[in-house]
Amino acid sequence: MIAIEKQMDGALLEVEISGRLTAQDYESTLVPAVEAALADHERVRIVAILGQEFEGFDLGAAWADTKLGLSHWNGFDRIALVTNTGWLKGSARVFAPLMPCPLQVFDLADAEEARRWIRESLGAVHFVDLGGPCLMVQLVGKLEPAVIEAAEEGLDAEIRARDGFRLLLNLSEFDGWHGLSAIMAHASLVRENAPLVQKAAIVGDSAWQHMAERVMSRFLNAETRFFDSTGLDRAKTWLAEG
């Protein structure tokens, strides 16, 4: 059995599942609700709560679930799975990095935390004008695709507004990406703007961030340098020199 509550003007669906889930449950309840939400919103968020009375899927429901995901692959903005079922939690965590949207798993006792997470903004991209051609782009938290897509227009405007483009990429508060689509969106943004960069400073603490500077130095037609998070002021000075 599936019970659905619409929230955030239909952009968020809270789905409560009990008993043994069948293909008929999907076809008569879940699929119409998702498609109705997508008719009004580009992407929807889903909280799926599989309570103590959840008994599993039959084969038809498993296939219906796969079809629903593939049919609307880019239609989900974020998914919270709330369950105490061990095999479901394990499977979700394995496939989460391959999902086109952030997927987070919560225990039933943490249902309210799941509801808060599904509503909050995940990660942020901040632009700080450093004067002249210098711009600091600061990545904060764990980025989701929508945040990166929203930042693209802002970055274009910042680049157009200055004569030349020197980049300070501040990764000191950056925790990574939510899902494969976020990584792809970020890669596309970098690829489009990399030829415009005249000089680049990378600020961070992680080893992979230091490695990222080395990789950037190979495909950017620009001088690059890495600074740890205590060297932010030195990075700004270096970027403005010359």
Side-chain angles (χ1 to χ4, degrees):
M1 176 181 173
I2 301 178
I4 299 177
E5 179 182 342
K6 298 179 182 179
Q7 302 174 16
M8 294 172 56
D9 294 327
L12 168 60
L13 302 178
E14 182 166 315
V15 181
E16 189 166 353
I17 301 173
S18 60
R20 188 164 186 83
L21 201 58
T22 68
Q24 180 61 32
D25 292 324
Y26 269 86
E27 293 168 3
S28 64
T29 307
L30 185 57
V31 172
V34 170
E35 292 183 341
L38 288 173
D40 296 325
H41 305 277
E42 185 176 355
R43 293 187 181 93
V44 297
R45 300 181 181 188
I46 293 181
V47 179
I49 302 176
L50 287 68
Q52 299 289 2
E53 297 180 358
F54 174 65
E55 298 174 2
F57 301 85
D58 66 18
L59 185 60
W63 173 236
D65 186 55
T66 301
K67 286 196 298 181
L68 178 63
L70 293 176
S71 299
H72 303 290
W73 184 250
N74 293 315
F76 299 105
D77 183 50
R78 198 180 304 177
I79 299 174
L81 176 63
V82 184
T83 181
N84 287 344
T85 305
W87 68 268
L88 270 177
K89 293 194 291 186
S91 299
R93 286 170 178 147
V94 167
F95 288 104
L98 305 178
M99 292 291 290
C101 68
L103 167 63
Q104 190 79 19
V105 181
F106 300 85
D107 290 333
L108 286 174
D110 299 321
E112 286 305 315
E113 182 182 345
R115 292 184 177 102
R116 286 193 297 270
W117 177 82
I118 206 74
R119 289 173 174 273
E120 70 183 8
S121 175
L122 297 183
V125 178
H126 300 299
F127 302 111
V128 180
D129 184 2
L130 300 179
C134 302
L135 174 70
M136 181 168 73
V137 178
Q138 183 175 17
L139 309 185
V140 179
K142 205 166 187 179
L143 299 184
E144 59 181 338
V147 171
I148 298 171
E149 292 166 5
E152 184 173 1
E153 184 176 346
L155 180 59
D156 289 343
E158 291 285 352
I159 293 174
R160 289 195 303 269
R162 62 195 70 243
D163 183 13
F165 179 34
R166 297 187 179 190
L167 171 67
L168 194 163
L169 183 60
N170 188 345
L171 304 177
S172 58
E173 298 181 52
F174 178 50
D175 297 324
W177 302 269
H178 271 292
L180 182 60
S181 59
I183 296 175
M184 294 176 64
H186 197 170
S188 175
L189 184 62
V190 171
R191 185 170 57 251
E192 291 173 4
N193 293 284
L196 305 175
V197 178
Q198 300 166 336
K199 195 174 183 181
I202 314 299
V203 175
D205 290 311
S206 302
W208 74 264
Q209 294 170 351
H210 198 169
M211 185 179 297
E213 181 273 327
R214 295 176 182 175
V215 172
M216 287 179 64
S217 68
R218 295 185 178 275
F219 70 84
L220 283 181
N221 187 26
E223 184 181 2
T224 66
R225 185 173 296 182
F226 181 83
F227 300 82
D228 64 33
S229 59
T230 64
L232 180 60
D233 288 338
R234 288 187 286 112
K236 293 177 181 179
T237 299
W238 175 80
L239 196 67
E241 292 173 346

